[in-house]
Amino acid sequence: MTGRLSGKQALITGAGRGIGAAIALRFASEGAALLLNDIDAAAVAAIAEECRKDSAAVHVCVADVSDPSAVERLFDEAVAALGGLTVLVNNAGIGGVGKTILDSDLDEWNRMIAVDLTSVFLACRAAVPLMRDTGRGSIINLSSVTGVTGTAGSVPYASAKAGVIGLSKALAKETAHWRINVNAIAPGLIDTEMSRVRGQSSSAADLLWPRIGTPDDIAHLAVYLASDEAEFVTGQVISPNGGAVI
Ligand code: NAP
């Protein structure tokens, strides 16, 4: 099948629901071969089944991306199932718990940093040699406007998401000569389980656009960043946020 991503071999983490699921479905419709990851086996199996309506090559690997040995297994699976890797979307994440620093404990901090930041480091470190050997690659890391502006009650989340931006910029500088571009997407309020649990009303009040974001708003951008059309775009933080932050 032909599409903007035909010939691409893509790994998407946290693809069982929300933004990751929307990216998986758009990538399949654009012809990419896929390895879909999530910690929730049933959820990711269901999304993979939907993706197979468009792309014959859709594989699943259930893994906790904060666990270094599970990430190794995930990339072994990428090589075995896809024969290599040209696109990595680090999307899996957990949201802020809405506590001030005075109510936060170290275990919550460590868990947030492990899932939202260390996972990105582990996956990028595993992906770069595969992309370098192919001579081309695109890495897309999900940050957040909270990582750019900060949000009260989100010190661990904001720290992890700001870290994703720093990681993406530094890695872009290390990998451009191998034709690997690295970009961060920093969404504003997107209607998913994560934002519903946290509560959407205070962030919705900041929007200029007359609706909140959808997972597809992010998936459209991810398709562009994964495609050859975005080859000259690297080290950037792109923030679809409905004008909440200008
Ligand atoms: P979501 O609806 O909660 O989906 C996240 C997915 O990642 C879930 O399927 C979740 O599985 C999975 N996941 C969580 N921890 C994992 C782990 N350790 N290993 C593998 N998979 C794991 O979240 P979302 O709103 O789509 O967010 C996706 C990304 O966008 C996140 O990085 C988030 O921080 C970022 N983001 C979201 C918004 C927003 O407004 N929604 C705004 C800015 C940035 P379970 O269901 O089992 O937990």
Side-chain angles (χ1 to χ4, degrees):
M1 109 168 246
T2 55
R4 288 164 74 194
L5 301 182
S6 62
K8 303 280 184 193
Q9 303 137 308
L11 165 55
I12 303 165
T13 69
R17 69 177 191 207
I19 293 169
I23 293 173
L25 290 163
R26 278 298 320 275
F27 275 28
S29 73
E30 294 292 350
L34 296 176
L35 176 60
L36 304 183
N37 153 267
D38 204 279
I39 202 166
D40 180 334
V44 72
I47 296 300
E49 206 45 51
E50 269 194 71
C51 289
R52 286 190 189 104
K53 292 174 190 159
D54 285 320
S55 171
V58 182
H59 307 270
V60 164
C61 183
V62 177
D64 175 347
V65 290
S66 68
D67 172 352
S69 59
V71 173
E72 260 181 54
R73 185 166 54 76
L74 182 59
F75 281 81
D76 288 347
E77 186 62 27
V79 173
L82 304 178
L85 192 72
T86 49
V87 180
L88 167 64
V89 184
N90 283 308
N91 164 80
I94 52 176
V97 286
K99 290 183 184 171
T100 70
I101 198 165
L102 300 180
D103 296 323
S104 300
D105 67 44
L106 184 59
D107 287 345
E108 284 167 354
W109 166 272
N110 285 337
R111 181 71 188 143
M112 183 72 71
I113 297 298
V115 176
D116 284 4
L117 179 57
T118 307
S119 68
V120 180
F121 162 75
L122 293 169
C124 288
R125 192 179 58 169
V128 165
L130 300 177
M131 294 178 175
R132 178 195 60 200
D133 293 349
T134 310
R136 181 74 182 100
S138 302
I139 297 176
I140 301 164
N141 294 325
L142 268 291
S143 176
S144 166
V145 287
T146 293
V148 179
T149 64
T151 303
S154 295
V155 166
Y157 185 71
S159 304
K161 292 299 182 179
V164 168
I165 291 173
L167 185 160
S168 302
K169 290 183 177 184
L171 187 60
K173 291 187 176 181
E174 290 184 11
T175 60
H177 63 289
W178 291 319
R179 295 168 59 86
I180 301 171
N181 53 350
V182 186
N183 292 290
I185 300 179
L189 176 61
I190 306 297
D191 186 21
T192 68
E193 192 63 26
M194 182 184 284
S195 63
R196 278 175 226 133
V197 167
R198 177 78 203 271
Q200 298 178 338
S201 51
S202 63
S203 309
D206 296 333
L207 290 168
L208 298 183
W209 211 250
R211 65 168 174 83
I212 69 170
T214 67
D216 276 341
D217 289 323
I218 306 306
H220 298 317
L221 175 58
V223 168
Y224 167 67
L225 289 175
S227 75
D228 291 335
E229 295 159 21
E231 197 194 60
F232 200 54
V233 180
T234 197
Q236 303 305 304
V237 182
I238 305 177
S239 183
N241 63 48
V245 178
I246 292 183

